[in-house]
Amino acid sequence: PEALVAAAGLSGEVAFALADLGTGEILAQQGMDRPMPPASTAKTITSLYALDHLGRGYRFQTRLLATGPVTGGRIAGDLVLAGGGDPTLSTDDLGDLAAALAQAGVKGIGGRFLVWSGALPYLPSIDPAQPVWMGYDPAVSGLNLNFNRVNFTWERAGTAWRVGFDARAERFAPAVGVAQIEVVARQTPLFTYSAAPDCERWTVADAALGRDGSRWLPVRRPELYAGDVFRTLAAAQGISLPLPEVAQALPEGQVLASHASAPLPLVLREMMKYSTNMTAEAAGMNVLTLPDREVTWVRRLFEKAVGGFYDVVLQPQGWRVWCGGTLSWQVEQKTSEIDKILPTMRTDVVLDHAPSEKKPEHRAQQGSGTINALRCNQSTWTCSRLPRSELPRSGTVAGETTW
């Protein structure tokens, strides 16, 4: 381990643990018991949970919808740019969507140009404690673009400065109209930010500019940003669109063109490589908007952590630990509602010791809306949980009254 850390050129305190996922065996470690801030290593949890719930073949979809028919090159209705929570959508991708729309014969619209970002909850900032100008702390929504960053450019123009914003990618670099910036004669602060209904306004200290250059600034209204950029790219394809408006609900319509992200494993691999906060937030939000979102990854992570604690502490004392097993007890003296519960009940932690008199202690959490029970069957003790609302009035399992 020391050679690996030295070869990586890591500074400061370094701690890690490499474990076999199937057996839990620690294969290599350094300072694994040392408390340290998790920082971006927490993205591994987000990645594993997203893969488990969304699937390895999952792709984020961004679509162009028409709410009316296309007649003579004109949409008799609205055009909707509908986001699907893609954290990797780029200006180049929007350029390809504009080209596909032109290939579909569209030259203009009779209604509005709408942008919809409701696929994910809106988050104005990933970490509000960060300085307002940090590009790694943008907003997150269901319609994102360029990791929700806009490129601020500046160059000398005599005694003044020529400044602007663009949404550059590899193939396209359209100017951005929904963000504006003013150079102010001051030393500090470096930047200030304010939001208007149709524009994001910045100021920058002239003392900080120095030579000509550029830097990424965060975007707080990503849906309007994406709409503004797409409108410019569509104009380059001969498609005239009005200014974008935010749709509060997704209209029904015909899909004229769509863009799919890379498969989820590739998206997450890039996130881990470059530690992109935007991708972590969007991936996590996509999971938590699934129909079974009441079983959140936080609770499951906590239960696995408890099981891991038992495993580390009790195994050296001769205990065996199982986590998350399905109950298969024989039921005697059934009540009318018990069959609705037992087929889906799972244990949180099972502790088993060789025939001895050792008994683990378990304290039920009060006021949690769940029943935590510790049951004994010879030398096996089982801790399980289920909502109070799902408990029958009484029942007997393996000859013992349990509720």
Side-chain angles (χ1 to χ4, degrees):
E2 293 80 4
L4 289 174
V5 172
L10 301 176
S11 60
E13 293 188 49
V14 177
F16 71 90
L18 177 65
D20 185 303
L21 187 61
T23 66
E25 177 187 359
I26 300 297
L27 304 176
Q29 65 89 18
Q30 175 175 310
M32 63 178 288
D33 297 323
R34 182 186 306 153
M36 298 182 71
S40 285
T41 60
K43 290 183 173 69
T44 59
I45 304 297
T46 302
S47 297
L48 292 172
Y49 198 71
L51 287 170
D52 184 47
H53 282 67
L54 298 177
R56 298 181 64 85
Y58 185 84
R59 294 172 182 257
F60 300 94
Q61 301 287 335
T62 304
R63 301 173 296 163
L64 286 172
L65 308 175
T67 63
V70 179
T71 305
R74 192 172 182 84
I75 298 174
D78 299 330
L79 176 68
V80 185
L81 176 61
D86 186 354
T88 64
L89 187 72
S90 72
T91 295
D92 288 348
D93 299 327
L94 288 187
D96 293 339
L97 276 175
L101 188 64
Q103 291 173 4
V106 176
K107 296 297 182 183
I109 62 176
R112 301 165 297 172
F113 172 40
L114 301 177
V115 289
W116 183 73
S117 61
L120 296 181
Y122 172 68
L123 186 68
S125 172
I126 295 174
D127 182 3
Q130 297 295 320
V132 70
W133 60 84
M134 291 301 182
Y136 56 75
D137 184 40
V140 183
S141 79
L143 179 56
N144 308 294
L145 182 66
N146 299 329
F147 299 101
N148 291 344
R149 303 176 306 167
V150 62
N151 189 52
F152 164 47
T153 63
W154 66 90
E155 61 180 8
R156 274 288 185 184
T159 59
W161 293 95
R162 183 179 296 111
V163 295
F165 286 110
D166 65 52
R168 66 182 55 190
E170 292 185 6
R171 292 182 284 125
F172 302 103
V176 172
V178 293
Q180 298 175 0
I181 193 163
E182 178 186 0
V183 180
V184 178
R186 65 170 186 250
Q187 293 290 324
T188 60
L190 180 59
F191 291 95
T192 66
Y193 172 85
S194 63
D198 59 348
C199 184
E200 299 188 52
R201 293 194 171 95
W202 294 85
T203 70
V204 59
D206 62 350
L209 294 181
R211 298 178 179 178
D212 299 354
S214 67
R215 67 169 293 164
W216 292 98
L217 292 177
V219 170
R220 307 293 178 203
R221 296 295 305 275
E223 72 286 356
L224 288 178
Y225 172 49
D228 178 46
V229 171
F230 181 80
R231 179 172 179 260
T232 300
L233 295 168
Q237 296 287 339
I239 304 172
S240 178
L241 298 176
L243 292 172
E245 301 177 38
V246 177
Q248 300 303 317
L250 179 62
E252 295 184 1
Q254 172 191 359
V255 177
L256 298 181
S258 64
H259 166 77
S261 73
L264 185 60
L266 181 57
V267 170
L268 297 176
R269 190 177 300 122
E270 293 292 299
M271 176 195 75
M272 296 296 295
K273 180 177 180 180
Y274 299 107
S275 193
T276 48
N277 295 338
M278 245 288 303
T279 305
E281 294 293 332
M285 286 182 180
N286 266 277
V287 171
L288 295 181
T289 56
L290 294 175
D292 65 344
R293 59 187 177 274
E294 67 274 13
V295 184
T296 67
W297 70 270
V298 177
R299 170 178 167 176
R300 291 191 176 183
L301 176 61
F302 174 77
E303 292 176 349
K304 289 182 179 180
V306 170
F309 171 79
Y310 284 157
D311 192 47
V312 170
V313 173
L314 296 180
Q315 268 202 356
Q317 304 176 31
W319 291 91
R320 289 177 293 178
V321 181
W322 290 273
C323 301
T326 303
L327 295 178
S328 58
W329 295 335
Q330 180 181 358
V331 179
E332 300 174 3
Q333 302 178 21
K334 286 186 179 182
T335 60
S336 59
E337 298 178 356
I338 201 168
D339 282 335
K340 299 178 181 179
I341 298 173
L342 285 186
T344 58
M345 282 186 66
R346 295 176 61 85
T347 61
D348 289 341
V349 180
V350 177
L351 307 177
D352 185 278
H353 199 275
S356 70
E357 297 303 319
K358 292 184 179 179
K359 298 179 181 180
E361 294 183 0
H362 178 75
R363 180 173 298 172
Q365 182 179 354
Q366 299 297 322
S368 62
T370 62
I371 293 294
N372 296 273
L374 189 64
R375 303 181 176 87
C376 178
N377 179 11
Q378 295 178 351
S379 64
T380 300
W381 290 75
T382 304
C383 168
S384 61
R385 177 190 301 153
L386 70 163
R388 294 180 187 275
S389 61
E390 296 181 7
L391 286 172
R393 289 189 297 273
S394 64
T396 302
V397 177
E400 298 180 32
T401 302
T402 56
W403 48 72

